Amino acid sequence: MSSDLDLAALEAWLTEKLPGKSGLEVSQISGGQSNPTYRVGVGGDRFVLRIKPPGPLLPGAHAIEREYRVMKALDPTDVRVPVVRWLEEDETILGRPFYLMDWLDGRVFSDCSLQGVSPGDRREMYLDTARTLARLHAVRPDQIGLSDYGKPGNYFDRQIARWSRQCRESTGPRIPALDQLTDWIVANAPADDGAVAISHGDFRIGNMMFHPTEPRVIAVLDWELSTLGHPMADLGFCTMPWDSAPDEYGGILGTDWAAAGIPALEEFVAEYQANAITDIPLTSFHRAFAMFRFAAIFVGIADRVRSGNAASEQAADLAPLAERFAIRALNIVQRDENGGAE
């Protein structure tokens, strides 16, 4: 499914980048709700092409330029990312900006149950995901040229303003649970503690590429939402599987996840903290905030469905999850307020 790309223009562009190579092959990769993604082969070389979607876009959305920049900067660090090759911002080539990165052979799972994996490997894959996140947060932005990659400080206040604005400006019907959650998030935002890290913004099992046979992360994918942020925002986001069901973007709530080898949420968080450079505790606010953000993202997906501008054929099925995740977040808050083990 590559008819929306000008293949002749892409082949001519690649010929300049790879003299002597020929024989373009392109196929769309499933997944990716934001930026269309393609497998590209030319002369025996394999790449992945990420391109902005067509049509009008929200300011700052679909920031493939940021994806390219952060992965380029992280390449020499201990954080595993794909090798990015070329960023093309000239919209006359394919109609919108795009970049290419090296193809990697590995496993990407669409749900957090990690189907087809042994319990022992499943456990290690979760724990290596926690360690990978800790390694990311240990990287100092100024040491890799990313000191201006975002605004340091007041991360949660700025994020709350951004995502609540997206909800307010949505073309869809109001979601009472999300409105209630937004009010709680605003009222319970913690004071800024000065913690700043490179924040992935969408750090979860589904954006990890694992080795083809070994239980370890070989690349972190999809950096569109990355910025300078608070480390607990990423960690809270990464704990959502324990609080969401399989039909809610592949969570594990309600399944026999312990027997399947998946570590408890507390063990996952402890593995992160054992490898982190800070000792900031994870709170119910961080977990509820993560779901608030995800709900707002789904609001945006629903808006793109209505405008006919969604990158994935499955986007329409995901749109109702805005309400589901808002309800899950309120459950976390209520359990915490009622003295639950949160």
Side-chain angles (χ1 to χ4, degrees), residues 193-212:
D193 59 7
V196 177
I198 299 171
S199 176
H200 180 276
D202 194 11
F203 199 95
R204 53 188 172 86
I205 289 288
N207 280 331
M208 302 298 108
M209 176 174 282
F210 295 94
H211 186 276

PDB file of all heavy atoms in Angstrom, residues 193-212:
ATOM      1  N   ASP A 193       9.863  20.132  40.665  1.00  0.00           N
ATOM      2  CA  ASP A 193      10.989  19.721  41.507  1.00  0.00           C
ATOM      3  C   ASP A 193      12.332  19.872  40.802  1.00  0.00           C
ATOM      4  O   ASP A 193      13.365  19.461  41.334  1.00  0.00           O
ATOM      5  CB  ASP A 193      10.809  18.266  41.969  1.00  0.00           C
ATOM      6  CG  ASP A 193      10.703  17.279  40.806  1.00  0.00           C
ATOM      7  OD1 ASP A 193      10.901  17.704  39.640  1.00  0.00           O
ATOM      8  OD2 ASP A 193      10.417  16.091  41.056  1.00  0.00           O
ATOM      9  N   GLY A 194      12.318  20.444  39.615  1.00  0.00           N
ATOM     10  CA  GLY A 194      13.558  20.711  38.901  1.00  0.00           C
ATOM     11  C   GLY A 194      14.116  19.543  38.107  1.00  0.00           C
ATOM     12  O   GLY A 194      15.139  19.692  37.429  1.00  0.00           O
ATOM     13  N   ALA A 195      13.477  18.374  38.173  1.00  0.00           N
ATOM     14  CA  ALA A 195      13.976  17.209  37.440  1.00  0.00           C
ATOM     15  C   ALA A 195      13.744  17.396  35.944  1.00  0.00           C
ATOM     16  O   ALA A 195      12.632  17.693  35.510  1.00  0.00           O
ATOM     17  CB  ALA A 195      13.287  15.938  37.924  1.00  0.00           C
ATOM     18  N   VAL A 196      14.797  17.212  35.154  1.00  0.00           N
ATOM     19  CA  VAL A 196      14.713  17.348  33.700  1.00  0.00           C
ATOM     20  C   VAL A 196      15.441  16.179  33.061  1.00  0.00           C
ATOM     21  O   VAL A 196      16.565  15.835  33.446  1.00  0.00           O
ATOM     22  CB  VAL A 196      15.338  18.673  33.205  1.00  0.00           C
ATOM     23  CG1 VAL A 196      15.304  18.734  31.678  1.00  0.00           C
ATOM     24  CG2 VAL A 196      14.604  19.866  33.793  1.00  0.00           C
ATOM     25  N   ALA A 197      14.796  15.553  32.094  1.00  0.00           N
ATOM     26  CA  ALA A 197      15.411  14.448  31.358  1.00  0.00           C
ATOM     27  C   ALA A 197      14.897  14.486  29.936  1.00  0.00           C
ATOM     28  O   ALA A 197      13.930  15.192  29.615  1.00  0.00           O
ATOM     29  CB  ALA A 197      15.053  13.113  32.005  1.00  0.00           C
ATOM     30  N   ILE A 198      15.556  13.738  29.064  1.00  0.00           N
ATOM     31  CA  ILE A 198      15.002  13.534  27.728  1.00  0.00           C
ATOM     32  C   ILE A 198      13.803  12.610  27.892  1.00  0.00           C
ATOM     33  O   ILE A 198      13.941  11.471  28.330  1.00  0.00           O
ATOM     34  CB  ILE A 198      16.039  12.916  26.771  1.00  0.00           C
ATOM     35  CG1 ILE A 198      17.238  13.851  26.626  1.00  0.00           C
ATOM     36  CG2 ILE A 198      15.401  12.642  25.402  1.00  0.00           C
ATOM     37  CD1 ILE A 198      18.403  13.221  25.885  1.00  0.00           C
ATOM     38  N   SER A 199      12.635  13.121  27.578  1.00  0.00           N
ATOM     39  CA  SER A 199      11.404  12.364  27.750  1.00  0.00           C
ATOM     40  C   SER A 199      10.939  11.854  26.393  1.00  0.00           C
ATOM     41  O   SER A 199      10.771  12.640  25.457  1.00  0.00           O
ATOM     42  CB  SER A 199      10.326  13.256  28.386  1.00  0.00           C
ATOM     43  OG  SER A 199       9.093  12.582  28.473  1.00  0.00           O
ATOM     44  N   HIS A 200      10.741  10.551  26.276  1.00  0.00           N
ATOM     45  CA  HIS A 200      10.301   9.956  25.016  1.00  0.00           C
ATOM     46  C   HIS A 200       8.887  10.391  24.675  1.00  0.00           C
ATOM     47  O   HIS A 200       8.563  10.666  23.522  1.00  0.00           O
ATOM     48  CB  HIS A 200      10.394   8.429  25.124  1.00  0.00           C
ATOM     49  CG  HIS A 200       9.965   7.702  23.888  1.00  0.00           C
ATOM     50  ND1 HIS A 200       8.646   7.409  23.621  1.00  0.00           N
ATOM     51  CD2 HIS A 200      10.677   7.204  22.848  1.00  0.00           C
ATOM     52  CE1 HIS A 200       8.556   6.757  22.475  1.00  0.00           C
ATOM     53  NE2 HIS A 200       9.777   6.619  21.983  1.00  0.00           N
ATOM     54  N   GLY A 201       8.012  10.433  25.669  1.00  0.00           N
ATOM     55  CA  GLY A 201       6.654  10.880  25.464  1.00  0.00           C
ATOM     56  C   GLY A 201       5.665   9.794  25.097  1.00  0.00           C
ATOM     57  O   GLY A 201       4.456   9.985  25.211  1.00  0.00           O
ATOM     58  N   ASP A 202       6.151   8.630  24.645  1.00  0.00           N
ATOM     59  CA  ASP A 202       5.275   7.513  24.279  1.00  0.00           C
ATOM     60  C   ASP A 202       6.006   6.202  24.580  1.00  0.00           C
ATOM     61  O   ASP A 202       5.966   5.256  23.792  1.00  0.00           O
ATOM     62  CB  ASP A 202       4.897   7.602  22.798  1.00  0.00           C
ATOM     63  CG  ASP A 202       3.742   6.690  22.411  1.00  0.00           C
ATOM     64  OD1 ASP A 202       3.088   6.135  23.326  1.00  0.00           O
ATOM     65  OD2 ASP A 202       3.475   6.535  21.200  1.00  0.00           O
ATOM     66  N   PHE A 203       6.659   6.170  25.742  1.00  0.00           N
ATOM     67  CA  PHE A 203       7.517   5.032  26.079  1.00  0.00           C
ATOM     68  C   PHE A 203       6.654   3.887  26.597  1.00  0.00           C
ATOM     69  O   PHE A 203       6.082   3.957  27.688  1.00  0.00           O
ATOM     70  CB  PHE A 203       8.544   5.438  27.137  1.00  0.00           C
ATOM     71  CG  PHE A 203       9.727   4.512  27.202  1.00  0.00           C
ATOM     72  CD1 PHE A 203      10.890   4.791  26.511  1.00  0.00           C
ATOM     73  CD2 PHE A 203       9.677   3.346  27.947  1.00  0.00           C
ATOM     74  CE1 PHE A 203      11.983   3.936  26.558  1.00  0.00           C
ATOM     75  CE2 PHE A 203      10.754   2.486  28.004  1.00  0.00           C
ATOM     76  CZ  PHE A 203      11.915   2.778  27.314  1.00  0.00           C
ATOM     77  N   ARG A 204       6.556   2.818  25.802  1.00  0.00           N
ATOM     78  CA  ARG A 204       5.730   1.667  26.140  1.00  0.00           C
ATOM     79  C   ARG A 204       6.229   0.448  25.379  1.00  0.00           C
ATOM     80  O   ARG A 204       7.047   0.562  24.450  1.00  0.00           O
ATOM     81  CB  ARG A 204       4.260   1.939  25.795  1.00  0.00           C
ATOM     82  CG  ARG A 204       4.031   2.388  24.366  1.00  0.00           C
ATOM     83  CD  ARG A 204       2.588   2.831  24.136  1.00  0.00           C
ATOM     84  NE  ARG A 204       2.423   3.441  22.823  1.00  0.00           N
ATOM     85  CZ  ARG A 204       2.177   2.755  21.700  1.00  0.00           C
ATOM     86  NH1 ARG A 204       2.072   1.435  21.747  1.00  0.00           N
ATOM     87  NH2 ARG A 204       2.026   3.381  20.554  1.00  0.00           N
ATOM     88  N   ILE A 205       5.742  -0.709  25.782  1.00  0.00           N
ATOM     89  CA  ILE A 205       6.155  -1.969  25.160  1.00  0.00           C
ATOM     90  C   ILE A 205       5.982  -1.929  23.649  1.00  0.00           C
ATOM     91  O   ILE A 205       6.837  -2.406  22.897  1.00  0.00           O
ATOM     92  CB  ILE A 205       5.353  -3.148  25.767  1.00  0.00           C
ATOM     93  CG1 ILE A 205       5.809  -3.418  27.208  1.00  0.00           C
ATOM     94  CG2 ILE A 205       5.488  -4.406  24.914  1.00  0.00           C
ATOM     95  CD1 ILE A 205       7.179  -4.057  27.327  1.00  0.00           C
ATOM     96  N   GLY A 206       4.886  -1.351  23.171  1.00  0.00           N
ATOM     97  CA  GLY A 206       4.609  -1.309  21.746  1.00  0.00           C
ATOM     98  C   GLY A 206       5.598  -0.502  20.934  1.00  0.00           C
ATOM     99  O   GLY A 206       5.636  -0.626  19.703  1.00  0.00           O
ATOM    100  N   ASN A 207       6.396   0.339  21.575  1.00  0.00           N
ATOM    101  CA  ASN A 207       7.417   1.117  20.876  1.00  0.00           C
ATOM    102  C   ASN A 207       8.822   0.598  21.135  1.00  0.00           C
ATOM    103  O   ASN A 207       9.806   1.280  20.837  1.00  0.00           O
ATOM    104  CB  ASN A 207       7.322   2.596  21.254  1.00  0.00           C
ATOM    105  CG  ASN A 207       6.215   3.303  20.498  1.00  0.00           C
ATOM    106  OD1 ASN A 207       5.881   2.929  19.377  1.00  0.00           O
ATOM    107  ND2 ASN A 207       5.627   4.321  21.111  1.00  0.00           N
ATOM    108  N   MET A 208       8.925  -0.619  21.698  1.00  0.00           N
ATOM    109  CA  MET A 208      10.208  -1.277  21.845  1.00  0.00           C
ATOM    110  C   MET A 208      10.388  -2.281  20.699  1.00  0.00           C
ATOM    111  O   MET A 208       9.450  -3.001  20.363  1.00  0.00           O
ATOM    112  CB  MET A 208      10.303  -2.049  23.173  1.00  0.00           C
ATOM    113  CG  MET A 208      10.100  -1.224  24.446  1.00  0.00           C
ATOM    114  SD  MET A 208      11.322   0.079  24.707  1.00  0.00           S
ATOM    115  CE  MET A 208      10.276   1.516  24.348  1.00  0.00           C
ATOM    116  N   MET A 209      11.571  -2.315  20.114  1.00  0.00           N
ATOM    117  CA  MET A 209      11.912  -3.408  19.206  1.00  0.00           C
ATOM    118  C   MET A 209      12.853  -4.332  19.956  1.00  0.00           C
ATOM    119  O   MET A 209      13.895  -3.904  20.463  1.00  0.00           O
ATOM    120  CB  MET A 209      12.571  -2.921  17.918  1.00  0.00           C
ATOM    121  CG  MET A 209      13.009  -4.072  17.012  1.00  0.00           C
ATOM    122  SD  MET A 209      13.639  -3.551  15.405  1.00  0.00           S
ATOM    123  CE  MET A 209      12.102  -3.208  14.544  1.00  0.00           C
ATOM    124  N   PHE A 210      12.461  -5.604  20.045  1.00  0.00           N
ATOM    125  CA  PHE A 210      13.249  -6.599  20.749  1.00  0.00           C
ATOM    126  C   PHE A 210      14.072  -7.425  19.765  1.00  0.00           C
ATOM    127  O   PHE A 210      13.704  -7.585  18.598  1.00  0.00           O
ATOM    128  CB  PHE A 210      12.339  -7.515  21.569  1.00  0.00           C
ATOM    129  CG  PHE A 210      11.610  -6.811  22.679  1.00  0.00           C
ATOM    130  CD1 PHE A 210      10.324  -6.304  22.496  1.00  0.00           C
ATOM    131  CD2 PHE A 210      12.209  -6.637  23.926  1.00  0.00           C
ATOM    132  CE1 PHE A 210       9.654  -5.644  23.516  1.00  0.00           C
ATOM    133  CE2 PHE A 210      11.543  -5.979  24.950  1.00  0.00           C
ATOM    134  CZ  PHE A 210      10.264  -5.485  24.744  1.00  0.00           C
ATOM    135  N   HIS A 211      15.171  -7.946  20.256  1.00  0.00           N
ATOM    136  CA  HIS A 211      16.029  -8.832  19.464  1.00  0.00           C
ATOM    137  C   HIS A 211      15.175  -9.965  18.883  1.00  0.00           C
ATOM    138  O   HIS A 211      14.209 -10.412  19.513  1.00  0.00           O
ATOM    139  CB  HIS A 211      17.145  -9.385  20.363  1.00  0.00           C
ATOM    140  CG  HIS A 211      18.162 -10.193  19.647  1.00  0.00           C
ATOM    141  ND1 HIS A 211      17.994 -11.544  19.375  1.00  0.00           N
ATOM    142  CD2 HIS A 211      19.382  -9.857  19.150  1.00  0.00           C
ATOM    143  CE1 HIS A 211      19.050 -11.993  18.742  1.00  0.00           C
ATOM    144  NE2 HIS A 211      19.911 -10.992  18.586  1.00  0.00           N
ATOM    145  N   PRO A 212      15.522 -10.477  17.696  1.00  0.00           N
ATOM    146  CA  PRO A 212      14.707 -11.534  17.081  1.00  0.00           C
ATOM    147  C   PRO A 212      14.528 -12.777  17.946  1.00  0.00           C
ATOM    148  O   PRO A 212      13.484 -13.441  17.875  1.00  0.00           O
ATOM    149  CB  PRO A 212      15.474 -11.867  15.800  1.00  0.00           C
ATOM    150  CG  PRO A 212      16.220 -10.617  15.467  1.00  0.00           C
ATOM    151  CD  PRO A 212      16.596 -10.022  16.790  1.00  0.00           C
TER     152      PRO A 212
END
